[in-house]
Amino acid sequence: MKKLLVYLTLLIGFSSVAQSGAKIEFKEETINYGEVEKGKDNGIRVFEFTNTGDEPLVIKNAKSSCGCTVPEWPKEPIAPGGKGQIKVQYNMNPGPISKTITIETNAINKPNGMIPLRIKGTVIVKEEVSPLVKKKTFPNS
């Protein structure tokens, strides 16, 4: 009976030990641009993160679902407790925005170290009417 208790105690002890390694926590994993006007918004948004693990976090790659969205990421390891940013620039094509940026890391708290970040919203184009342009009027019938 004593041996069984010792084995159970050891088993529970080993299973409760937290895994060591880099861990990534984003402030938000989706950024909503909302309705933005082409020409008045540069399309740049920033995803902020923290390494909550106990080893350096390495961002190996960041790639977008299309060429219209360009990510920038830190190339140097982020120390435990350190913060970083993934900067994303959308080219502001008119219409709906729905893009995914896949981040590849050594983080142990994400499946295979992969994190999908998303941007969404709508880009509109406002037509400017010059006060110098005379409005067309139609004669009454």
Side-chain angles (χ1 to χ4, degrees):
M1 186 67 162
K2 287 183 181 181
K3 286 183 180 181
L4 179 61
L5 285 174
V6 171
Y7 288 127
L8 284 175
T9 304
L10 288 174
L11 182 64
I12 291 170
F14 286 128
S15 64
S16 66
V17 174
Q19 289 182 315
S20 66
K23 295 179 182 174
I24 190 167
E25 295 295 331
F26 279 90
K27 191 173 183 180
E28 56 189 336
E29 293 186 9
T30 298
I31 292 180
N32 188 349
Y33 280 59
E35 189 172 275
V36 292
E37 190 174 334
K38 183 175 177 71
K40 292 194 176 182
D41 189 308
N42 63 8
I44 296 174
R45 299 295 186 275
V46 176
F47 291 92
E48 297 177 357
F49 65 87
T50 304
N51 178 0
T52 58
D54 58 5
E55 291 184 16
L57 172 71
V58 177
I59 300 192
K60 301 171 186 175
N61 196 10
K63 56 186 171 188
S64 172
S65 56
C66 78
C68 61
T69 308
V70 179
E72 290 182 28
W73 65 95
K75 307 300 189 258
E76 299 297 319
I78 308 297
K83 297 181 181 296
Q85 298 180 336
I86 306 289
K87 186 167 91 170
V88 175
Q89 182 166 15
Y90 180 66
N91 71 0
M92 303 304 281
N93 285 334
I97 304 169
S98 180
K99 305 297 175 194
T100 301
I101 301 90
T102 304
I103 310 302
E104 183 183 343
T105 72
N106 67 331
I108 62 169
N109 64 324
K110 299 293 182 177
N112 299 318
M114 306 294 270
I115 303 100
L117 302 176
R118 293 178 176 83
I119 58 172
K120 63 183 184 176
T122 305
V123 178
I124 60 170
V125 178
K126 285 199 174 179
E127 292 184 32
E128 292 187 26
V129 179
S130 169
L132 301 174
V133 175
K134 185 176 179 181
K135 291 184 179 181
K136 294 183 181 180
T137 58
F138 297 98
N140 292 340
S141 306

